[in-house]
Amino acid sequence: MKKIDMKAGEMLSPLPAVMVSCGDMENSNIITIAWTGIVNSKPPMTYVSVRPERYSHDMIENSGEFVINLVNEDLVFAMDHCGSTSGRNEDKFKEMHLTKAKGDKVSCPLIEESPVNIECKVTEVKRLGSHDMYLAEIVAVHAAEELMKESGRFALDEAGLVAYVHGEYFGIKTRRLGTYGYSVMKKKTAKKRREKGLSYGGRKAHFEK
Ligand SMILES: Cc1cc2nc3c(=O)[nH]c(=O)nc-3n(C[C@H](O)[C@H](O)[C@H](O)COP(=O)(O)O)c2cc1C
């Protein structure tokens, strides 16, 4: 693969673009965040990086709480709007016709219309330069009931989630390419999964393409 050299920058993709709600049930706000991810499993930990000039910054800084609301295709417009306007000038819940729901462990409202709400409590702040990074423990998760199948499989792939790729939003409701560990899957397991309609194969199928 021939490469070109580019300016060093935030070139990691795809990223989730999420709607982060903060404040409390009365005085709340939503900020769109792409600088986020999972940083630890036990305890489950995440982060959001927020520029100090954002209206949401002080809300998160002062309360030490926020909620990550995952974005599906129905929410893309609202997500872009919450990333382009400030809570200093408008009530984004009202403007985007979004509903506040109560959290279990934090005072911030959840966005009812989001398929997955992740309640977070800040454990540490890193002042990195342009952004303050809020490391946080995930203290509760709520997910749309319809995503939990009778078989016990949590079908997050059916939530219609959205990815942020270099300034553009893409739906990821596409074909399944593999599953965690499929490249090292035993032949027998790969065969069973193919029979269940999961079209990808194991190592042999990959290299014989
Ligand atoms: C897709 C997208 C991703 C964004 N990611 C971040 C981010 O990670 N950190 C940040 O500080 N601002 C980010 N922004 C910008 C803020 O969401 C935007 O400045 C917003 O208007 C701030 O709202 P507030 O002033 O009500 O807090 C992003 C905007 C968009 C559209």
Side-chain angles (χ1 to χ4, degrees), residues 48-60:
V48 290
S49 280
V50 185
R51 283 185 184 263
E53 56 266 34
R54 310 294 188 224
Y55 181 61
S56 312
H57 177 274
D58 288 5
M59 284 185 157
I60 298 173

Side-chain angles (χ1 to χ4, degrees), residues 10-15 164-167:
E10 322 102 309
M11 191 62 73
L12 178 68
S13 243
L15 293 172
Y164 182 54
V165 178
H166 202 55

Side-chain angles (χ1 to χ4, degrees), residues 50-53 126-133:
V50 185
R51 283 185 184 263
E53 56 266 34
K126 296 233 172 247
R127 318 264 177 217
L128 296 174
S130 60
H131 290 67
D132 285 349
M133 180 195 193

Side-chain angles (χ1 to χ4, degrees), residues 17 29-35 49-51 54-56 79-80 82-88 92 131 164 169:
N29 192 36
I30 306 171
I31 175 172
T32 298
I33 293 283
W35 295 176
S49 280
V50 185
R51 283 185 184 263
R54 310 294 188 224
Y55 181 61
S56 312
M79 177 268 281
D80 185 66
C82 292
S84 311
T85 57
S86 180
R88 280 187 195 98
K92 298 188 202 179
H131 290 67
Y164 182 54
Y169 314 124

Side-chain angles (χ1 to χ4, degrees), residues 6 19 40 63 73 91 108 118 131 136 175 189 205:
M6 293 182 74
M19 293 161 85
N40 198 49
S63 69
E73 293 188 15
D91 178 341
C108 321
I118 304 166
H131 290 67
R175 67 196 171 100
T189 320

Side-chain angles (χ1 to χ4, degrees), residues 68-152:
I68 294 179
N69 303 273
L70 299 192
V71 171
N72 61 16
E73 293 188 15
D74 291 341
L75 284 172
V76 179
F77 184 87
M79 177 268 281
D80 185 66
H81 183 90
C82 292
S84 311
T85 57
S86 180
R88 280 187 195 98
N89 309 317
E90 68 170 51
D91 178 341
K92 298 188 202 179
F93 271 96
K94 237 192 210 154
E95 281 296 318
M96 289 294 102
H97 304 274
L98 296 168
T99 319
K100 293 179 194 179
K102 262 189 174 304
D104 280 348
K105 303 270 173 67
V106 299
S107 308
C108 321
L110 321 176
I111 301 175
E112 178 73 35
E113 289 80 1
S114 160
V116 180
N117 318 101
I118 304 166
E119 296 184 32
C120 306
K121 280 193 192 253
V122 174
T123 56
E124 209 180 311
V125 188
K126 296 233 172 247
R127 318 264 177 217
L128 296 174
S130 60
H131 290 67
D132 285 349
M133 180 195 193
Y134 294 94
L135 272 169
E137 190 169 337
I138 295 172
V139 290
V141 175
H142 311 274
E145 203 175 56
E146 72 221 34
L147 298 176
M148 187 54 80
K149 302 297 164 191
E150 260 175 42
S151 62

